[in-house]
Short mmCIF file of all heavy atoms in Angstrom, two decimals:
data_model
loop_
_atom_site.label_atom_id
_atom_site.label_comp_id
_atom_site.label_asym_id
_atom_site.label_seq_id
_atom_site.Cartn_x
_atom_site.Cartn_y
_atom_site.Cartn_z
N MET X 23 23.34 19.85 -20.97
CA MET X 23 22.52 18.57 -21.04
C MET X 23 21.16 18.97 -20.52
O MET X 23 20.95 19.87 -19.67
CB MET X 23 23.07 17.60 -20.11
CG MET X 23 24.38 17.00 -20.53
SD MET X 23 24.90 15.73 -19.29
CE MET X 23 26.45 15.23 -20.09
N ASN X 24 20.07 18.20 -21.16
CA ASN X 24 18.80 18.37 -20.60
C ASN X 24 18.70 17.53 -19.34
O ASN X 24 19.59 16.68 -19.04
CB ASN X 24 17.76 18.07 -21.69
CG ASN X 24 17.69 16.77 -22.11
OD1 ASN X 24 18.00 15.74 -21.37
ND2 ASN X 24 17.43 16.44 -23.37
N GLU X 25 17.59 17.61 -18.69
CA GLU X 25 17.37 16.92 -17.38
C GLU X 25 17.45 15.43 -17.57
O GLU X 25 17.88 14.62 -16.76
CB GLU X 25 15.97 17.25 -16.74
CG GLU X 25 16.01 18.67 -16.09
CD GLU X 25 14.70 19.03 -15.50
OE1 GLU X 25 13.91 18.17 -15.36
OE2 GLU X 25 14.58 20.25 -15.34
N THR X 26 16.94 14.95 -18.67
CA THR X 26 16.97 13.48 -18.99
C THR X 26 18.30 12.96 -19.14
O THR X 26 18.80 11.90 -18.49
CB THR X 26 16.19 13.02 -20.25
OG1 THR X 26 14.80 13.61 -20.10
CG2 THR X 26 16.13 11.60 -20.50
N GLU X 27 19.12 13.64 -19.87
CA GLU X 27 20.61 13.31 -19.96
C GLU X 27 21.29 13.39 -18.67
O GLU X 27 22.12 12.43 -18.46
CB GLU X 27 21.23 14.23 -21.00
CG GLU X 27 20.79 14.00 -22.51
CD GLU X 27 21.35 15.08 -23.39
OE1 GLU X 27 21.31 16.30 -23.01
OE2 GLU X 27 21.85 14.67 -24.42
N VAL X 28 20.98 14.32 -17.82
CA VAL X 28 21.82 14.43 -16.48
C VAL X 28 21.33 13.31 -15.74
O VAL X 28 22.21 12.60 -15.06
CB VAL X 28 21.53 15.75 -15.78
CG1 VAL X 28 21.94 15.61 -14.45
CG2 VAL X 28 22.08 16.99 -16.64
N ALA X 29 20.10 12.91 -15.75
CA ALA X 29 19.65 11.73 -14.85
C ALA X 29 20.23 10.45 -15.31
O ALA X 29 20.59 9.56 -14.48
CB ALA X 29 18.11 11.63 -14.91
N THR X 30 20.49 10.20 -16.67
CA THR X 30 21.04 9.07 -17.08
C THR X 30 22.56 8.94 -16.96
O THR X 30 23.05 7.79 -16.98
CB THR X 30 20.64 8.79 -18.66
OG1 THR X 30 21.25 9.86 -19.27
CG2 THR X 30 19.22 8.57 -18.85
N THR X 31 23.06 10.09 -16.52
CA THR X 31 24.65 10.01 -16.43
C THR X 31 25.05 10.01 -14.91
O THR X 31 26.20 10.16 -14.60
CB THR X 31 25.33 11.16 -17.14
OG1 THR X 31 24.77 12.45 -16.57
CG2 THR X 31 25.23 11.03 -18.63
N ALA X 32 24.07 10.08 -14.00
CA ALA X 32 24.29 10.07 -12.69
C ALA X 32 25.07 8.69 -12.21
O ALA X 32 24.80 7.73 -12.78
CB ALA X 32 22.98 10.21 -11.81
N PRO X 33 25.83 8.83 -11.09
CA PRO X 33 26.69 7.75 -10.82
C PRO X 33 25.64 6.53 -10.21
O PRO X 33 24.63 6.89 -9.62
CB PRO X 33 27.58 8.18 -9.67
CG PRO X 33 27.14 9.43 -9.31
CD PRO X 33 26.18 10.09 -10.42
N PHE X 34 26.00 5.21 -10.45
CA PHE X 34 25.16 4.22 -10.07
C PHE X 34 25.70 3.74 -8.70
O PHE X 34 26.91 3.63 -8.58
CB PHE X 34 25.35 3.13 -11.01
CG PHE X 34 24.52 1.82 -10.54
CD1 PHE X 34 23.07 1.69 -10.66
CD2 PHE X 34 25.31 0.72 -10.09
CE1 PHE X 34 22.42 0.53 -10.20
CE2 PHE X 34 24.56 -0.31 -9.61
CZ PHE X 34 23.25 -0.45 -9.68
N VAL X 35 24.83 3.47 -7.72
CA VAL X 35 25.22 2.91 -6.39
C VAL X 35 24.53 1.60 -6.26
O VAL X 35 23.45 1.42 -6.43
CB VAL X 35 24.72 3.85 -5.28
CG1 VAL X 35 25.03 3.29 -3.93
CG2 VAL X 35 25.30 5.23 -5.54
N SER X 36 25.29 0.54 -6.01
CA SER X 36 24.98 -0.78 -6.00
C SER X 36 24.18 -1.08 -4.64
O SER X 36 24.32 -0.18 -3.69
CB SER X 36 26.02 -1.77 -6.07
OG SER X 36 26.84 -1.74 -4.89
N GLN X 37 23.38 -2.05 -4.58
CA GLN X 37 22.70 -2.38 -3.28
C GLN X 37 23.74 -2.56 -2.24
O GLN X 37 23.43 -2.19 -1.09
CB GLN X 37 21.74 -3.62 -3.40
CG GLN X 37 20.31 -3.36 -3.87
CD GLN X 37 19.48 -4.48 -3.76
OE1 GLN X 37 19.72 -5.58 -4.30
NE2 GLN X 37 18.45 -4.34 -2.93
N GLU X 38 24.81 -3.26 -2.53
CA GLU X 38 25.87 -3.58 -1.41
C GLU X 38 26.38 -2.24 -0.90
O GLU X 38 26.62 -1.99 0.26
CB GLU X 38 26.96 -4.41 -2.09
CG GLU X 38 26.51 -5.83 -2.49
CD GLU X 38 25.74 -5.99 -3.73
OE1 GLU X 38 25.78 -5.00 -4.53
OE2 GLU X 38 25.11 -6.90 -3.86
N GLU X 39 26.67 -1.26 -1.85
CA GLU X 39 27.20 0.09 -1.44
C GLU X 39 26.13 0.84 -0.59
O GLU X 39 26.52 1.44 0.46
CB GLU X 39 27.61 0.88 -2.75
CG GLU X 39 28.82 0.34 -3.42
CD GLU X 39 29.04 1.03 -4.80
OE1 GLU X 39 28.06 1.36 -5.47
OE2 GLU X 39 30.24 1.33 -5.03
N LEU X 40 24.96 0.69 -1.00
CA LEU X 40 23.93 1.43 -0.27
C LEU X 40 23.81 0.80 1.12
O LEU X 40 23.53 1.62 2.06
CB LEU X 40 22.61 1.23 -1.05
CG LEU X 40 21.36 2.09 -0.62
CD1 LEU X 40 21.73 3.59 -0.60
CD2 LEU X 40 20.12 1.76 -1.40
N ALA X 41 23.88 -0.47 1.25
CA ALA X 41 23.71 -1.21 2.60
C ALA X 41 24.77 -0.77 3.49
O ALA X 41 24.70 -0.76 4.69
CB ALA X 41 23.83 -2.65 2.33
N LEU X 42 26.04 -0.28 2.94
CA LEU X 42 27.05 0.14 3.74
C LEU X 42 26.97 1.59 4.36
O LEU X 42 27.76 1.98 5.20
CB LEU X 42 28.49 0.00 3.08
CG LEU X 42 28.78 -1.44 2.76
CD1 LEU X 42 30.09 -1.46 1.90
CD2 LEU X 42 29.08 -2.28 4.09
#
Side-chain angles (χ1 to χ4, degrees):
M23 293 181 183
N24 65 36
E25 288 179 15
T26 304
E27 289 175 314
V28 171
T30 59
T31 60
F34 176 77
V35 178
S36 71
Q37 269 190 303
E38 292 79 19
E39 291 169 319
L40 190 59
L42 294 175

